[in-house]
Amino acid sequence: MHANGASSSDRFLALLRPIERDLETYCRRLIWAPEEAADAIQNAVLRAYSAFDRYREDASFRAWMFRILTNEVSALNRKHVRIAQREIQLNPEELAELPADVEKVEAREASLTSSDLNEVLEADLAAGLRRLTETERAVLLLRSIGELRYREIAESLDLPIGSVMGNLARARQKMRAVLKKSRKGNVATL
Amino acid sequence: MSMKCSEAIGQFEAYKDGELDAQRALNMEEHLAACQDCARGLAEQTVFDSRLTDALQRGSKTRDLWGTVERLVTEGAHHSVPVAPDATETSVTRFDWKELCRNLYASLLPSRRVWAGMIGVWVLIISINLVSREEDSADKVFQHPTLAQVRFAYDQKKVITAELGFLSPPADRPSGEPRDSRSQLRPPSRNA
């Protein structure tokens, strides 16, 4: 089986361009090592294009693309978890909830925002996301950024819908707790 | 049927996201109309979650990255590169052996369980090999006899010795000794 022709690549890129920003934002928030975000995006897009002839027109391209990107990022994150487990002797749950390196987060997120308030908020967001488990983070981001339905999230992560709802509820609850604590109860600044 | 507060709170997320079916959504709205605590709690969560979503969606697109990606897609279309297996499908149309080897190496290297399993398999193979080894051919020539076999041989030896004594020349036989071979087995007479 060989790749599609030029007309198919045009169709693929026409579907991809409207969601590129969301894909990149999702990837950067989900991935463990920020320096691998570009590789993850590139690999995911090329993998999706390779399988584009199997993509059904009536399916959601957005959901399909987010699912492929999630698989790609999960594979990279698992590699880092295994290395960290071997070198640092942490459980996966402990590893997933390590606080973010705030300096790194601020330096990274500075390129994404312009105002000082947004920079500080981004650091809090990243710190909050690091306190979620891998599944909770993926579910929250797929819902918030990917705007996927619960059924689509369940298919992407191979979870029951009930589990998706539970993870989403816990993720939002944890984020509320973390952000309220960092802002000392002033929710309005979020 | 009226909804309880605990049940309503458990469905807040689905209700906010528009994931409840029509009947449950109606039940939720009836409950919220009747319960001010739940209505207030839902309103607070809705405001916070809306702002959280806006904050998470904040980001920009790296033009260089996407320029490279789009160029690779276009080049791939013109060069007709072979299709890689879809990450979302379980069926594989073509194996990427290099990637498989890379993934195996990356997954095996830090995994203690895999290494322990592999060592255990080799120990098992070696053990089975040692246990099922055939005996050396030289060992089959001599086998230590049992006690019963030793006694039988001794008895046979005595019989044969007695026979030989019977057949031996008369000069070798002391006088007065009977010719019966069995007498050779009798203890010497005390009167002699």
Side-chain angles (χ1 to χ4, degrees):
Chain A
M1 185 182 297
H2 291 278
N4 312 290
S7 61
S8 183
S9 67
D10 293 338
R11 278 196 303 122
F12 179 83
L13 291 175
L15 290 169
L16 181 68
R17 286 189 182 113
I19 63 173
E20 285 177 351
R21 191 191 74 91
D22 290 341
L23 285 173
E24 183 173 349
T25 305
Y26 171 73
C27 180
R28 292 193 184 279
R29 294 204 186 280
L30 185 65
I31 203 161
W32 179 272
E35 61 273 12
E36 292 183 342
D39 287 340
I41 290 169
Q42 186 171 312
N43 292 341
V45 171
L46 291 178
R47 192 183 294 273
Y49 178 63
S50 299
F52 190 53
D53 58 339
R54 290 193 287 271
Y55 164 71
R56 299 193 317 272
E57 292 291 338
D58 57 341
S60 166
F61 180 81
R62 186 185 184 91
W64 187 69
M65 202 54 237
F66 269 91
R67 179 164 56 199
I68 295 174
L69 181 58
T70 301
N71 289 339
E72 192 67 36
V73 172
S74 295
L76 289 170
N77 286 347
R78 274 197 297 273
K79 182 183 72 174
H80 287 285
V81 167
R82 278 197 298 271
I83 292 171
Q85 277 181 281
R86 182 167 55 93
E87 295 179 358
I88 309 175
Q89 304 295 323
L90 281 177
N91 296 325
E93 293 77 17
E94 292 172 337
L95 205 62
E97 294 184 3
L98 278 178
D101 186 337
V102 177
E103 290 180 1
K104 265 190 188 175
V105 167
E106 286 183 348
R108 174 168 57 88
E109 299 293 349
S111 63
L112 302 177
T113 60
S114 54
S115 69
D116 293 338
L117 181 60
N118 284 338
E119 287 180 9
V120 174
L121 179 57
E122 286 293 339
D124 291 336
L125 274 178
L129 287 173
R130 290 289 186 182
R131 279 174 164 75
L132 305 179
T133 65
E134 189 80 19
T135 305
E136 290 169 354
R137 186 163 55 241
V139 169
L140 176 65
L141 294 177
L142 281 173
R143 178 65 204 170
S144 302
I145 302 175
E147 296 178 351
L148 268 57
R149 309 287 297 181
Y150 285 10
R151 180 180 52 79
E152 292 168 338
I153 296 174
E155 289 173 2
S156 295
L157 301 179
D158 195 22
L159 293 172
I161 288 186
S163 183
V164 169
M165 293 170 62
N167 277 284
L168 184 59
R170 282 193 298 275
R172 284 173 171 165
Q173 198 173 359
K174 287 182 183 179
M175 291 299 288
R176 280 186 220 117
V178 168
L179 293 173
K180 281 182 182 178
K181 189 178 177 183
S182 69
R183 290 284 163 248
K184 295 180 182 177
N186 188 359
V187 179
T189 57
L190 177 65
Chain B
M1 184 175 168
S2 60
M3 186 184 282
K4 293 181 183 177
C5 288
S6 58
E7 191 179 351
I9 291 170
Q11 295 182 12
F12 272 1
E13 301 297 334
Y15 179 72
K16 281 184 289 177
D17 294 333
E19 294 279 350
L20 287 182
D21 55 41
Q23 183 59 46
R24 289 187 184 187
L26 183 62
N27 293 341
M28 175 67 81
E29 287 168 5
E30 288 175 354
H31 179 80
L32 292 173
C35 179
Q36 292 189 1
D37 288 339
C38 286
R40 186 167 46 247
L42 178 62
E44 287 177 2
Q45 284 189 21
T46 303
V47 169
F48 185 93
D49 291 344
S50 175
R51 293 179 177 173
L52 174 63
T53 299
D54 291 340
L56 288 172
Q57 287 179 348
R58 218 174 287 147
S60 60
K61 180 172 124 177
T62 306
R63 291 191 178 181
D64 290 343
L65 168 63
W66 289 103
T68 302
V69 169
E70 292 181 13
R71 180 173 50 80
L72 288 172
V73 168
T74 308
E75 286 176 358
H78 288 304
H79 292 301
S80 293
V81 291
V83 175
D86 183 3
T88 64
E89 294 185 5
T90 55
S91 64
V92 176
T93 56
R94 178 180 169 149
F95 248 132
D96 187 350
W97 290 103
K98 286 184 183 175
E99 187 178 357
L100 180 66
C101 291
R102 275 199 298 269
N103 290 339
L104 273 175
Y105 180 77
S107 62
L108 286 175
L109 194 60
S111 175
R112 292 178 189 171
R113 289 182 187 176
V114 171
W115 282 110
M118 287 167 63
I119 291 170
V121 167
W122 275 109
V123 167
L124 187 64
I125 291 172
I126 293 170
S127 301
I128 292 173
N129 189 32
L130 288 173
V131 167
S132 63
R133 246 179 64 185
E134 287 188 7
E135 292 178 359
D136 194 358
S137 58
D139 292 338
K140 291 184 179 176
V141 172
F142 175 76
Q143 290 179 352
H144 293 283
T146 63
L147 185 58
Q149 289 174 331
V150 170
R151 283 184 178 164
F152 177 74
Y154 180 69
D155 291 339
Q156 289 295 310
K157 180 183 174 184
K158 284 199 302 187
V159 168
I160 293 170
T161 305
E163 291 286 348
L164 289 175
F166 176 76
L167 293 174
S168 63
D172 296 331
R173 191 178 301 121
S175 59
E177 288 288 334
R179 288 188 181 183
D180 188 0
S181 64
R182 279 186 257 176
S183 67
Q184 298 292 329
L185 302 178
R186 291 183 192 149
S189 171
R190 292 178 184 172
N191 297 326

